[in-house]
Amino acid sequence: MDLSADEQKRRELRRMRQLATGLLGLVAAVFAVSLWLQPRFPALAFVRAFAEAAMVGALADWFAVTALFRHPLGLPIPHTAIIARRKDSLGESVGRFVQENFLAPDVLVGRLRAVHAVERVGQLLSREAVSSQVARQVAMLVNGALDVVNDREIQDLIERSVAAQIDKVQPSPFLGRLLAAVLKGERLHELVAEVMHLSAQLLEENQDMLRERIQRETPWWMPPAFDHAIAERIFAAINTAIQEINGDAEHPFYTRFEAVLARFIQRLQHDPETIARGEALKQELLSNPFVRDVSASLWLDIKAFLKEQSSRDDSALQLAIARSVREFGASVTGDPELAQKVQGWVEHLVAYLSREYRGQFAQLVAYTVSRWDTASTVEKLELQVGKDLQYIRINGTIVGGLAGLAIYIFSRLIGA
């Protein structure tokens, strides 16, 4: 609560009360003087009539204004202290009034259209200063959320999600479909050529190791020159076969390789034994602690990245958010069709929120008022409207006096 503002209102209310009460005292004094002097000065009858009616008007309006907030003179007069007695029902009434007259879908949507809300927001978002501020606010929300989330719960959620997705998929049929899609058309031919090229490269790089292996496998009594000759013949035969396959696109090896691969893909997708082995491997993977370790490290890495990115104004994350906000604002501003679509989305959202939650808002108003202390409620309301209500007392004094004077004159004219 703003104490200085309340104190200012309290002083203004006190000043207006003194003014209204002083005016009542003034007309009472005028009435007394005119009544005393009227026998000597008959013309004072008009003044007395004015003052008499003014006192009645002032007292009546004082009673009416006071009765709103408390019992006049502390007397428990019926139908007084209205706000104190009916605080809860007034809160419900205010809540319903706001609900029906301020939060109705047609009122909110009409206001959005009248102020061209989407267009104005688009213009704001297209400004660099505004988009940067939005990016900072989003980054602050992300940073704050990361501070309060439970890492263990997030890690468990990731682990369960990954495990659930893996568990839904049969690995063997999935691998079979993947290979069939990847190796469709000329890709299978290219794969065989790449395998041959890789085989030739591996053979070239490992000739010394292969020679040593051949020498170890041949009998001890065989001459080393014979071992060398065997190795060279093997290398030459393999190189010749590879060159023949690479040089002849119609080589039978391609057909045989494709047939073997096709049978393998067929087994992956339809052979029960192969599918069962894939399922067993999948379950072994899911039960391996590696999955939990991966999920834990994945979340910690993501969290560390987001924390670092959300804490710097020049981070890639904030720059990307700001750029996206500016581009969205510029798109809405420059594309009437898109602006119309966004306007429709916003209107539907506002109408939905109004229909779903305006009743809860009314209940919130009623509940909040019901929780207020009665004396505090009376004081709050009196501080807000009490100053203006004192003008009623002042106007009642003047209007009552003029009305009394007019009646007195009319009665004299009729009597004459």
Side-chain angles (χ1 to χ4, degrees):
M1 180 185 296
D2 190 343
L3 295 179
S4 60
D6 281 354
E7 185 59 33
Q8 177 66 25
K9 290 178 180 179
R10 195 172 285 110
R11 285 197 297 267
E12 292 176 355
L13 175 59
R14 188 163 47 245
R15 182 173 59 82
M16 291 303 301
R17 277 178 178 167
Q18 292 171 351
L19 178 60
T21 304
L23 185 58
L24 172 60
L26 176 62
V27 294
V30 170
F31 172 75
V33 172
S34 62
L35 181 63
W36 177 47
L37 296 177
Q38 183 179 344
R40 296 172 54 188
F41 305 99
L44 290 178
F46 294 94
V47 177
R48 180 184 63 78
F50 174 86
E52 183 177 12
M55 284 192 302
V56 173
L59 289 171
D61 286 336
W62 165 81
F63 182 90
V65 170
T66 304
L68 286 173
F69 303 103
R70 59 187 58 84
H71 296 298
L73 302 177
L75 301 175
I77 303 172
H79 305 295
T80 58
I82 296 173
I83 292 176
R85 287 189 304 103
R86 302 189 58 195
K87 174 175 66 70
D88 294 347
S89 62
L90 287 173
E92 295 174 1
S93 299
V94 171
R96 285 195 301 271
F97 179 79
V98 173
Q99 173 185 345
E100 296 171 1
N101 295 279
F102 292 91
L103 298 180
D106 55 341
V107 173
L108 296 176
V109 171
R111 183 58 179 168
L112 284 174
R113 292 175 180 173
V115 300
H116 305 288
V118 171
E119 181 180 349
R120 293 172 67 177
V121 170
Q123 293 172 352
L124 285 174
L125 294 180
S126 62
R127 299 176 185 173
E128 184 173 355
V130 176
S131 64
S132 298
Q133 182 64 24
V134 171
R136 281 193 293 272
Q137 295 300 321
V138 173
M140 288 176 59
L141 289 175
V142 171
N143 200 299
L146 292 173
D147 288 334
V148 299
V149 296
N150 188 304
D151 291 340
R152 182 72 268 167
E153 292 180 356
I154 299 297
Q155 290 166 0
D156 291 341
L157 176 62
I158 294 176
E159 181 183 353
R160 289 194 300 271
S161 300
V162 171
Q165 293 302 317
I166 294 176
D167 196 50
K168 291 179 182 177
V169 179
Q170 288 185 309
S172 293
F174 175 76
L175 180 59
R177 292 191 298 270
L178 180 64
L179 289 174
V182 170
L183 301 177
K184 183 168 56 177
E186 293 298 322
R187 293 174 182 167
L188 180 59
H189 193 89
E190 295 173 359
L191 173 64
V192 176
E194 189 62 30
V195 169
M196 292 298 99
H197 176 74
L198 179 62
S199 300
Q201 183 177 350
L202 290 173
L203 182 65
E204 180 68 25
E205 294 175 354
N206 295 279
Q207 285 188 9
D208 293 339
M209 184 271 293
L210 292 173
R211 289 190 183 95
E212 294 178 1
R213 183 63 181 269
I214 291 172
Q215 186 176 3
R216 289 198 303 270
E217 295 296 331
T218 55
W220 60 270
W221 45 266
M222 187 174 289
F226 192 73
D227 294 340
H228 181 75
I230 292 175
E232 294 302 322
R233 291 290 298 274
I234 293 174
F235 296 154
I238 294 175
N239 281 324
T240 300
I242 291 174
Q243 291 174 5
E244 289 178 355
I245 294 171
N246 287 335
D248 183 7
E250 303 296 330
H251 196 281
F253 179 80
Y254 288 103
T255 303
R256 291 195 294 270
F257 187 88
E258 291 174 4
V260 170
L261 191 57
R263 287 195 298 272
F264 175 66
I265 292 175
Q266 186 72 12
R267 286 201 308 273
L268 286 175
Q269 296 187 74
H270 304 290
D271 180 48
E273 185 178 349
T274 304
I275 294 174
R277 285 200 298 268
E279 287 294 311
L281 288 173
K282 181 183 73 174
Q283 296 303 324
E284 183 178 348
L285 172 64
L286 291 177
S287 61
N288 196 303
F290 171 77
V291 175
R292 175 174 287 272
D293 295 340
V294 168
S295 65
S297 61
L298 177 64
W299 165 244
L300 292 178
D301 290 342
I302 293 174
K303 181 178 180 179
F305 172 77
L306 291 176
K307 287 286 289 183
E308 188 270 336
Q309 289 289 305
S310 61
S311 60
R312 294 191 295 107
D313 290 344
D314 61 343
S315 67
L317 176 64
Q318 291 203 37
L319 294 177
I321 294 174
R323 183 172 60 254
S324 300
V325 170
R326 284 196 303 274
E327 291 175 353
F328 174 76
S331 299
V332 170
T333 304
D335 187 345
E337 184 176 352
L338 176 60
Q340 188 65 28
K341 288 182 179 180
V342 175
Q343 179 78 24
W345 297 337
V346 173
E347 290 179 3
H348 280 93
L349 176 61
V350 169
Y352 168 78
L353 294 175
S354 173
R355 288 191 299 268
E356 292 295 322
Y357 298 107
R358 63 184 182 138
Q360 283 84 338
F361 183 84
Q363 293 174 7
L364 175 62
V365 172
Y367 173 76
T368 302
V369 173
S370 69
R371 299 277 294 178
W372 287 350
D373 176 70
T374 301
S376 299
T377 304
V378 171
E379 183 184 19
K380 289 176 186 291
L381 293 176
E382 191 170 16
L383 286 178
Q384 295 300 320
V385 300
K387 174 185 174 183
D388 295 324
L389 291 178
Q390 300 309 310
Y391 282 107
I392 295 178
R393 294 177 59 190
I394 296 172
N395 293 335
T397 303
I398 297 172
V399 172
L402 293 174
L405 178 60
I407 293 172
Y408 179 75
I409 294 174
F410 182 71
S411 64
R412 288 291 299 270
L413 290 176
I414 292 177

